[in-house]
mmCIF file of all heavy atoms in Angstrom:
data_model
loop_
_atom_site.group_PDB
_atom_site.id
_atom_site.type_symbol
_atom_site.label_atom_id
_atom_site.label_comp_id
_atom_site.label_asym_id
_atom_site.label_seq_id
_atom_site.Cartn_x
_atom_site.Cartn_y
_atom_site.Cartn_z
ATOM 1 N N ALA S 33 79.542 87.325 8.503
ATOM 2 C CA ALA S 33 80.963 87.116 8.750
ATOM 3 C C ALA S 33 81.205 86.810 10.210
ATOM 4 O O ALA S 33 80.553 87.346 11.095
ATOM 5 C CB ALA S 33 81.739 88.369 8.351
ATOM 6 N N LEU S 34 82.171 85.937 10.475
ATOM 7 C CA LEU S 34 82.586 85.681 11.835
ATOM 8 C C LEU S 34 83.266 86.925 12.382
ATOM 9 O O LEU S 34 83.698 87.791 11.623
ATOM 10 C CB LEU S 34 83.548 84.494 11.866
ATOM 11 C CG LEU S 34 82.905 83.128 11.636
ATOM 12 C CD1 LEU S 34 83.983 82.088 11.381
ATOM 13 C CD2 LEU S 34 82.052 82.722 12.820
ATOM 14 N N PRO S 35 83.368 87.044 13.730
ATOM 15 C CA PRO S 35 84.016 88.225 14.285
ATOM 16 C C PRO S 35 85.391 88.453 13.668
ATOM 17 O O PRO S 35 86.209 87.542 13.594
ATOM 18 C CB PRO S 35 84.118 87.878 15.782
ATOM 19 C CG PRO S 35 83.003 86.925 16.026
ATOM 20 C CD PRO S 35 82.898 86.121 14.753
ATOM 21 N N ALA S 36 85.638 89.660 13.231
ATOM 22 C CA ALA S 36 86.902 89.963 12.565
ATOM 23 C C ALA S 36 88.053 89.970 13.562
ATOM 24 O O ALA S 36 87.899 90.406 14.704
ATOM 25 C CB ALA S 36 86.799 91.321 11.885
ATOM 26 N N GLN S 37 89.207 89.488 13.146
ATOM 27 C CA GLN S 37 90.395 89.545 13.979
ATOM 28 C C GLN S 37 90.940 90.972 13.949
ATOM 29 O O GLN S 37 91.123 91.567 12.893
ATOM 30 C CB GLN S 37 91.450 88.565 13.452
ATOM 31 C CG GLN S 37 91.025 87.117 13.535
ATOM 32 C CD GLN S 37 90.810 86.671 14.974
ATOM 33 O OE1 GLN S 37 91.621 86.965 15.846
ATOM 34 N NE2 GLN S 37 89.715 85.977 15.217
ATOM 35 N N ARG S 38 91.206 91.531 15.109
ATOM 36 C CA ARG S 38 91.714 92.893 15.167
ATOM 37 C C ARG S 38 93.208 92.918 14.883
ATOM 38 O O ARG S 38 93.947 92.034 15.294
ATOM 39 C CB ARG S 38 91.433 93.500 16.543
ATOM 40 C CG ARG S 38 89.945 93.691 16.780
ATOM 41 C CD ARG S 38 89.685 94.351 18.120
ATOM 42 N NE ARG S 38 88.263 94.598 18.259
ATOM 43 C CZ ARG S 38 87.392 93.667 18.642
ATOM 44 N NH1 ARG S 38 87.813 92.462 18.926
ATOM 45 N NH2 ARG S 38 86.123 93.943 18.739
ATOM 46 N N ALA S 39 93.640 93.975 14.189
ATOM 47 C CA ALA S 39 95.037 94.079 13.818
ATOM 48 C C ALA S 39 95.918 94.320 15.028
ATOM 49 O O ALA S 39 97.062 93.905 15.067
ATOM 50 C CB ALA S 39 95.215 95.214 12.803
ATOM 51 N N SER S 40 95.413 94.995 16.031
ATOM 52 C CA SER S 40 96.206 95.290 17.218
ATOM 53 C C SER S 40 95.287 95.573 18.385
ATOM 54 O O SER S 40 94.098 95.840 18.223
ATOM 55 C CB SER S 40 97.112 96.497 16.960
ATOM 56 O OG SER S 40 96.341 97.670 16.823
ATOM 57 N N ALA S 41 95.873 95.523 19.599
ATOM 58 C CA ALA S 41 95.095 95.817 20.800
ATOM 59 C C ALA S 41 94.567 97.237 20.780
ATOM 60 O O ALA S 41 93.532 97.536 21.376
ATOM 61 C CB ALA S 41 95.953 95.595 22.044
ATOM 62 N N ALA S 42 95.265 98.140 20.064
ATOM 63 C CA ALA S 42 94.854 99.542 20.021
ATOM 64 C C ALA S 42 93.489 99.718 19.390
ATOM 65 O O ALA S 42 92.830 100.728 19.597
ATOM 66 C CB ALA S 42 95.889 100.371 19.267
ATOM 67 N N GLN S 43 93.038 98.724 18.626
ATOM 68 C CA GLN S 43 91.737 98.816 17.972
ATOM 69 C C GLN S 43 90.615 98.203 18.799
ATOM 70 O O GLN S 43 89.484 98.155 18.349
ATOM 71 C CB GLN S 43 91.794 98.111 16.616
ATOM 72 C CG GLN S 43 92.707 98.785 15.601
ATOM 73 C CD GLN S 43 92.758 98.020 14.295
ATOM 74 O OE1 GLN S 43 93.083 96.848 14.258
ATOM 75 N NE2 GLN S 43 92.421 98.695 13.209
ATOM 76 N N ALA S 44 90.899 97.703 19.977
ATOM 77 C CA ALA S 44 89.892 97.017 20.784
ATOM 78 C C ALA S 44 88.758 97.955 21.167
ATOM 79 O O ALA S 44 88.993 99.087 21.598
ATOM 80 C CB ALA S 44 90.525 96.424 22.036
#
Side-chain angles (χ1 to χ4, degrees):
L34 287 167
Q37 296 297 315
R38 293 183 176 81
S40 68
Q43 294 178 304

